[in-house]
Structure formats: structure tokens, C-alpha cells
Amino acid sequence: MAVQDPRKLPGSIGLESLFRGRAKEYSLDIAGDGYVIACDPDASEEHRAKVRQALSAGSWHACRSTDCLGECTASGCSCSRSINPTARDGFRRHVVQRFAEVAAGKDEVSYASLGCGLLRFDFELLEALLAAQVPVTAVHLVDPQYDGDAKGNDQHRAALGQFAAWFVERNVDIYAHTSMEKFAFHVRQAQALPLVVLQVDCSELTWIFDSQVQPMLEEVLFYGGLFCALTAREGAAQGTSSGATDAWGEVWRLVPESGRLRTVSRLRFRPGEPEGRLLDEDERMPPAVGH
């Protein structure tokens, strides 16, 4: 039977009720420390094999176990596949490479994703990391939409249920936090600092990077760990449309000697180019833009 994306069903069905029902199908529960409990009653090895086969071929397979996952489709967003079809995949490959480098020699590592949304990027990334033998054993997902009073809570809980149920079979613990503050508190309390923190297409956090995000990262990142961000920005000439379809990547490292973040690489992802171009040290990145 063909699988329909719940986001594309007629509005009369009531999307909130539909997503609420999908979350219940996964018996989704979030503990006080953010630990996510979920199971997939429809999981099958056939579905899993088809999903992984599609990912390895650079495509996406929607099935009953993945049809609530999604990503930004905002018109004009240079991080969206409609505007820049290759940026997310190119950035993901760069993150996997960098992640594998800093994880070398470690038995267990974790990562966090800030403003993670509907989790398709994290799903693809985690599958790629595990395929590359990176020993990820925990993922912390941070998004205010996990708050029960948030407008998009039902849809995000449905995506969370699918994500957690999928990776419980891979022995990966999933945690969900409604704010950076709660995330930081729980990982410090558990003494389980992430080796990598991601921020994909979340300009709201880019705008407060200096005042809030960077100080938090310098408290919770594992020494030598990475912060990796993909952001939509203005055109290369500030305030113009020239280059406005490009996405911009950044990789920062927490330097053990200073306890401060330092830029490792900055990349420009142009539409149609499979990999990002490394920026020169004197090249400036344009201001971030919202949706």
C-alpha cells in the first residue's frame, strides 16, 4: 500500500489530530531528564533495508516508519532543497568526515542538534555516522516545539517518535529538550558532554550566537569537540540578491588549552555543487537571514 505523507493530506482531516495519533502509535514518552521512550509497531527489516538503500543512493524513501520526518521547505530559503538541492547533503558529508576525525579512538560519543525541527537531517546524519562506524550512543535533540504548549508540538512529537523508535534498534539513546538551558543542565548533570553540536538552518540561534549559543557551547562541549552550523544568509554582497541561493557552513572547535571556540573551516554551498567551497581567512560571511 502506498504511503501518504501526513503533511499532504486534506486539511479537513485535522492535521493536529492526525499527528497526535501518530505519536501515540509509537507509545512516545519523554522522561524528566529528556530521555525518549518509543517503539515502532510497524517496523520491519524490509522497510529498514529500503530506507538505508535509498540513503546510500542519495535519495529518500518514505514509508510508515519515516513519513512524519521532514525539513525546511520555506520559499526562498537557501538551505531548502527546492532552492539549493545539494547544500544539505554536502554539509552532511562534511560533518560526517569531521565527526569521524574527532571520534577516532573513542568507544562512545554523543552529539546534540539545536533547533532540530522535523529531524530528517538528523536521521540521515545519524545513519551515515553509524554506517561510517562512528560509535554514537546518544543524541540530544533541542527544540522549543517539544514543549506541550507549542503550536507545532503534535507534528514534532510524531517525528520524534519515529526517530527514537528507529534508532532504539541501533542502541542509540535519544533525548529531547525544550531549551538550550535544559539541555545544558542535563548533560552537565549526567557528565555526558557531547562531542559535536549541530545547528542546521536555524537563523534565530545564529542571531544570538555570540551572546547565548557560544557561551553555552564552551560550557558543555567535550574538549576538542566541534560545533557545526549550516545557515541561510544574505547575498555575498550584503543586502543584495547576488549569491542569496547559497548556503553557508561553519565548523568550530573547542580548544582544550583555552576552553574557547575557534573557527576550523567555513564553507559556501552553491546550488548544484556537491561539496562546499572553503572560504579564505579574509572572506567575510554575510549576515544570517530568517524565513
mmCIF file of all heavy atoms in Angstrom, residues 106 193-196 217 220-226 254:
data_model
loop_
_atom_site.group_PDB
_atom_site.id
_atom_site.type_symbol
_atom_site.label_atom_id
_atom_site.label_comp_id
_atom_site.label_asym_id
_atom_site.label_seq_id
_atom_site.Cartn_x
_atom_site.Cartn_y
_atom_site.Cartn_z
ATOM 1 N N LYS A 106 37.704 6.683 20.259
ATOM 2 C CA LYS A 106 36.733 6.716 21.358
ATOM 3 C C LYS A 106 35.754 5.549 21.222
ATOM 4 O O LYS A 106 35.370 5.157 20.117
ATOM 5 C CB LYS A 106 35.983 8.053 21.360
ATOM 6 C CG LYS A 106 36.881 9.241 21.685
ATOM 7 C CD LYS A 106 36.085 10.534 21.689
ATOM 8 C CE LYS A 106 36.913 11.691 22.235
ATOM 9 N NZ LYS A 106 38.167 11.919 21.481
ATOM 10 N N LEU A 193 28.987 14.940 28.211
ATOM 11 C CA LEU A 193 29.119 16.075 27.301
ATOM 12 C C LEU A 193 29.187 15.610 25.845
ATOM 13 O O LEU A 193 29.840 14.612 25.538
ATOM 14 C CB LEU A 193 30.373 16.883 27.650
ATOM 15 C CG LEU A 193 30.475 17.375 29.096
ATOM 16 C CD1 LEU A 193 31.740 18.201 29.279
ATOM 17 C CD2 LEU A 193 29.234 18.164 29.491
ATOM 18 N N PRO A 194 28.511 16.323 24.946
ATOM 19 C CA PRO A 194 28.522 15.928 23.534
ATOM 20 C C PRO A 194 29.856 16.245 22.870
ATOM 21 O O PRO A 194 30.506 17.244 23.193
ATOM 22 C CB PRO A 194 27.396 16.771 22.931
ATOM 23 C CG PRO A 194 27.343 17.992 23.787
ATOM 24 C CD PRO A 194 27.666 17.518 25.182
ATOM 25 N N LEU A 195 30.239 15.395 21.930
ATOM 26 C CA LEU A 195 31.463 15.631 21.168
ATOM 27 C C LEU A 195 31.220 16.606 20.024
ATOM 28 O O LEU A 195 32.120 17.337 19.615
ATOM 29 C CB LEU A 195 31.989 14.303 20.610
ATOM 30 C CG LEU A 195 33.322 14.349 19.874
ATOM 31 C CD1 LEU A 195 34.446 14.792 20.808
ATOM 32 C CD2 LEU A 195 33.643 12.990 19.255
ATOM 33 N N VAL A 196 29.991 16.624 19.523
ATOM 34 C CA VAL A 196 29.619 17.505 18.409
ATOM 35 C C VAL A 196 28.248 18.103 18.694
ATOM 36 O O VAL A 196 27.364 17.416 19.218
ATOM 37 C CB VAL A 196 29.588 16.735 17.068
ATOM 38 C CG1 VAL A 196 29.077 17.619 15.932
ATOM 39 C CG2 VAL A 196 30.986 16.199 16.720
ATOM 40 N N LEU A 217 27.994 26.586 24.533
ATOM 41 C CA LEU A 217 28.842 25.559 23.928
ATOM 42 C C LEU A 217 30.166 25.420 24.676
ATOM 43 O O LEU A 217 30.678 24.302 24.851
ATOM 44 C CB LEU A 217 29.103 25.900 22.459
ATOM 45 C CG LEU A 217 27.900 25.817 21.518
ATOM 46 C CD1 LEU A 217 28.266 26.385 20.154
ATOM 47 C CD2 LEU A 217 27.405 24.389 21.384
ATOM 48 N N VAL A 220 29.498 23.130 27.640
ATOM 49 C CA VAL A 220 29.014 21.744 27.541
ATOM 50 C C VAL A 220 29.738 20.886 26.519
ATOM 51 O O VAL A 220 29.633 19.656 26.572
ATOM 52 C CB VAL A 220 27.501 21.705 27.241
ATOM 53 C CG1 VAL A 220 26.715 22.494 28.266
ATOM 54 C CG2 VAL A 220 27.185 22.190 25.833
ATOM 55 N N LEU A 221 30.463 21.476 25.571
ATOM 56 C CA LEU A 221 31.154 20.668 24.577
ATOM 57 C C LEU A 221 32.316 19.908 25.205
ATOM 58 O O LEU A 221 33.024 20.421 26.067
ATOM 59 C CB LEU A 221 31.683 21.545 23.451
ATOM 60 C CG LEU A 221 30.940 21.575 22.111
ATOM 61 C CD1 LEU A 221 31.657 22.510 21.143
ATOM 62 C CD2 LEU A 221 30.779 20.202 21.500
ATOM 63 N N PHE A 222 32.516 18.707 24.742
ATOM 64 C CA PHE A 222 33.701 17.933 25.098
ATOM 65 C C PHE A 222 34.928 18.666 24.567
ATOM 66 O O PHE A 222 34.914 19.192 23.457
ATOM 67 C CB PHE A 222 33.586 16.546 24.457
ATOM 68 C CG PHE A 222 34.493 15.500 25.005
ATOM 69 C CD1 PHE A 222 34.082 14.677 26.034
ATOM 70 C CD2 PHE A 222 35.767 15.327 24.476
ATOM 71 C CE1 PHE A 222 34.918 13.694 26.539
ATOM 72 C CE2 PHE A 222 36.603 14.349 24.978
ATOM 73 C CZ PHE A 222 36.188 13.535 26.013
ATOM 74 N N TYR A 223 36.010 18.736 25.351
ATOM 75 C CA TYR A 223 37.220 19.410 24.882
ATOM 76 C C TYR A 223 37.708 18.778 23.572
ATOM 77 O O TYR A 223 37.850 17.565 23.465
ATOM 78 C CB TYR A 223 38.328 19.329 25.930
ATOM 79 C CG TYR A 223 38.240 20.399 26.992
ATOM 80 C CD1 TYR A 223 38.815 20.206 28.247
ATOM 81 C CD2 TYR A 223 37.587 21.603 26.756
ATOM 82 C CE1 TYR A 223 38.748 21.180 29.239
ATOM 83 C CE2 TYR A 223 37.501 22.582 27.723
ATOM 84 C CZ TYR A 223 38.083 22.367 28.959
ATOM 85 O OH TYR A 223 38.006 23.339 29.917
ATOM 86 N N GLY A 224 37.949 19.626 22.584
ATOM 87 C CA GLY A 224 38.316 19.153 21.263
ATOM 88 C C GLY A 224 37.116 18.895 20.388
ATOM 89 O O GLY A 224 37.263 18.567 19.204
ATOM 90 N N GLY A 225 35.898 19.066 20.954
ATOM 91 C CA GLY A 225 34.664 18.829 20.210
ATOM 92 C C GLY A 225 34.356 19.929 19.215
ATOM 93 O O GLY A 225 34.996 20.981 19.190
ATOM 94 N N LEU A 226 33.323 19.682 18.399
ATOM 95 C CA LEU A 226 33.006 20.561 17.277
ATOM 96 C C LEU A 226 31.601 21.143 17.363
ATOM 97 O O LEU A 226 30.672 20.496 17.863
ATOM 98 C CB LEU A 226 33.121 19.789 15.958
ATOM 99 C CG LEU A 226 34.455 19.107 15.642
ATOM 100 C CD1 LEU A 226 34.337 18.347 14.332
ATOM 101 C CD2 LEU A 226 35.583 20.115 15.585
ATOM 102 N N LEU A 254 36.302 23.392 20.057
ATOM 103 C CA LEU A 254 36.573 23.851 21.411
ATOM 104 C C LEU A 254 38.022 23.504 21.745
ATOM 105 O O LEU A 254 38.372 22.335 21.918
ATOM 106 C CB LEU A 254 35.627 23.206 22.414
ATOM 107 C CG LEU A 254 35.731 23.749 23.851
ATOM 108 C CD1 LEU A 254 35.319 25.206 23.909
ATOM 109 C CD2 LEU A 254 34.879 22.930 24.809
#
